[in-house]
Amino acid sequence: MTPQVQGIGMTSQRTRGRMVSRLSDQGISNLAVLEVMRKTPRHLFVDEALASRAYDDAALPIGYNQTISQPYIVAKMTELLLEKGPLNKVLEIGTGCGYQTAVLAQLVGKVYTVERLLSLQRNARSHLYDLLIKNISYMHGDGTLGWADYAPYDGILVSAAPPEIPDMLLEQMAIGGVMVIPVGVAGGKQTLQRITRSVGDYKVETLAPVSFVPFLSGKE
Ligand code: SAH
């Protein structure tokens, strides 16, 4: 590993260990999720000027008015997605800086990730490439439409908040599939929801108040 990947001082393995202890104190109990977050160099996904804050429990700017989700949210969403068993195909909407993608890809068979902002996805792709994480397919597009070519998905994780769950995402869930998604208006009340699809039915669990950037249509 290069020194940059390994990190020093505030970006070191020890700092990541502290982050993981904090996550566990906050109630994250999936050991595989904690282990992956212990070894994934989150500082590489943020601007160098912010690297020393990469392991704080905070959302940080990643440019283009977007933020990298705080570690607790990444851990919680991943844990909720995986709770009912291992997943093979997972669709992620909102690649952002790619950190959530990196965590997911180390825990599931394959990640299909869609991002509407091309520049962000380009950066994410190069970071994930540097980390040799290869079980990811990328699409620059509007996540409102999901990614029909590879549907159905066992898991869908959305990291921007739409006012309502887009129909195409519900349609692209496999029977038995799980979706974790923040729902609500930007700046207003948003809740994290988990949807489980069964034959002819969708079960909705409303989990916790959250604050995500808005889910926007179109691509740039
Ligand atoms: N998991 C990412 C979160 C980034 S913020 C991270 O930790 O970095 C949410 C991302 O969703 C932003 O990059 C935003 O551009 C993207 N996004 C918002 N609406 C979208 C849509 N309709 N389709 C695809 N991506 C979308």
Side-chain angles (χ1 to χ4, degrees), residues 42 45 60 62-70 74 92-101 114-117 120-121 139-145 157-161 166 212-219:
R42 182 171 157 94
F45 292 86
L60 297 172
I62 53 173
Y64 310 92
N65 276 329
Q66 303 304 320
T67 51
I68 177 174
S69 305
Q70 68 191 90
V74 172
E92 178 190 41
I93 307 296
T95 318
C97 69
Y99 176 71
Q100 170 79 72
T101 322
V114 180
E115 169 58 55
R116 62 182 294 279
L117 298 175
L120 270 183
Q121 194 167 53
M139 178 169 74
H140 171 225
D142 181 353
T144 314
L145 306 173
L157 190 152
V158 182
S159 49
F212 277 78
V213 295
F215 188 100
L216 301 171
S217 56
K219 57 178 180 177

Side-chain angles (χ1 to χ4, degrees), residues 1-16 36-45 48 51 54-55 99 102 106 126-133:
M1 246 187 226
T2 66
Q4 199 203 3
V5 168
Q6 221 159 21
I8 48 163
M10 288 306 284
T11 59
S12 68
Q13 188 63 54
R14 193 142 34 98
T15 313
R16 274 201 293 284
V36 162
M37 290 183 70
R38 189 194 304 280
K39 69 178 198 209
T40 306
R42 182 171 157 94
H43 62 280
L44 294 188
F45 292 86
E48 249 172 85
Y55 299 99
Y99 176 71
Q106 295 173 82
S126 93
H127 292 139
L128 290 157
Y129 181 86
D130 288 347
L131 293 176
L132 307 174
I133 303 178

Side-chain angles (χ1 to χ4, degrees), residues 40-137:
T40 306
R42 182 171 157 94
H43 62 280
L44 294 188
F45 292 86
V46 299
D47 197 83
E48 249 172 85
L50 295 172
S52 66
R53 291 167 56 199
Y55 299 99
D56 294 356
D57 200 14
L60 297 172
I62 53 173
Y64 310 92
N65 276 329
Q66 303 304 320
T67 51
I68 177 174
S69 305
Q70 68 191 90
Y72 175 75
I73 286 291
V74 172
K76 188 68 195 171
M77 289 179 85
T78 311
E79 181 171 86
L80 286 166
L81 196 72
L82 291 168
E83 204 166 36
K84 300 194 176 148
L87 301 174
N88 183 28
K89 277 163 67 179
V90 174
L91 174 67
E92 178 190 41
I93 307 296
T95 318
C97 69
Y99 176 71
Q100 170 79 72
T101 322
V103 170
L104 268 180
Q106 295 173 82
L107 292 160
V108 305
K110 169 116 193 209
V111 179
Y112 296 84
T113 187
V114 180
E115 169 58 55
R116 62 182 294 279
L117 298 175
L118 183 59
S119 327
L120 270 183
Q121 194 167 53
R122 279 207 184 117
N123 287 343
R125 203 176 181 136
S126 93
H127 292 139
L128 290 157
Y129 181 86
D130 288 347
L131 293 176
L132 307 174
I133 303 178
K134 296 190 172 145
N135 54 333
I136 304 170
S137 288

Side-chain angles (χ1 to χ4, degrees), residues 151-180:
Y153 300 96
D154 314 314
I156 300 185
L157 190 152
V158 182
S159 49
E164 280 170 37
I165 303 177
D167 286 345
M168 298 295 266
L169 296 183
L170 292 167
E171 278 172 29
Q172 291 175 22
M173 293 174 75
I175 304 297
V178 185
M179 168 156 51
V180 177

